Amino acid sequence: MKSVATKENELSMQRIAFKMQLHKGFEAEYAKRHEKLWPELETLLKETGIAEYSIFLDESTLSLFGMLKMEDPLRLDELPAHPVMQKWWAYMKDIMESNPDHSPVSVPLKEVFYLA
């Protein structure tokens, strides 16, 4: 049974969803790079307040769907300033659509339904 504090914490979490685009032929490479996520990147994401983070692939379109949970989504604005984040983006830019600063092209998605 979950404690009251755990339930309250889950309720304060906000879900953020977005989509990105993978380049054709890099499905296995994308998965491989995430299987070996750098420990320093994992630490940064968790210290930023990300409690859960999933990325799904639509194999027919190569669209990537990301969803994460965190209490304060404004803290995501801190990530681009971190060298490890910039290094990760540079590492990933060859296999997905990227902006001039190497960040992934990311389109926010509006939540239209949620069943808890």
Side-chain angles (χ1 to χ4, degrees), residues 23 34 59 92:
H23 293 315
H34 281 80
E59 294 178 305
M92 298 299 290

Side-chain angles (χ1 to χ4, degrees), residues 2 27 38 72 102:
K2 293 184 179 180
E27 300 89 337
W38 303 336
D72 182 5
H102 306 306

Side-chain angles (χ1 to χ4, degrees), residues 75-93:
R75 294 205 56 208
L76 290 173
D77 295 339
E78 300 171 13
L79 291 175
H82 288 274
V84 69
M85 189 82 267
Q86 293 174 12
K87 184 178 171 186
W88 179 258
W89 289 345
Y91 177 56
M92 298 299 290
K93 71 178 176 152

Side-chain angles (χ1 to χ4, degrees), residues 41-98:
L41 179 57
E42 181 177 349
T43 298
L44 172 63
L45 296 175
K46 288 181 178 182
E47 287 176 351
T48 302
I50 297 172
E52 294 181 27
Y53 190 170
S54 299
I55 301 173
F56 300 88
L57 173 64
D58 178 342
E59 294 178 305
S60 66
T61 65
L62 299 182
S63 290
L64 297 161
F65 165 76
M67 199 283 292
L68 57 89
K69 288 184 178 181
M70 63 189 310
E71 286 186 29
D72 182 5
L74 294 176
R75 294 205 56 208
L76 290 173
D77 295 339
E78 300 171 13
L79 291 175
H82 288 274
V84 69
M85 189 82 267
Q86 293 174 12
K87 184 178 171 186
W88 179 258
W89 289 345
Y91 177 56
M92 298 299 290
K93 71 178 176 152
D94 63 323
I95 65 172
M96 61 191 305
E97 288 185 9
S98 300

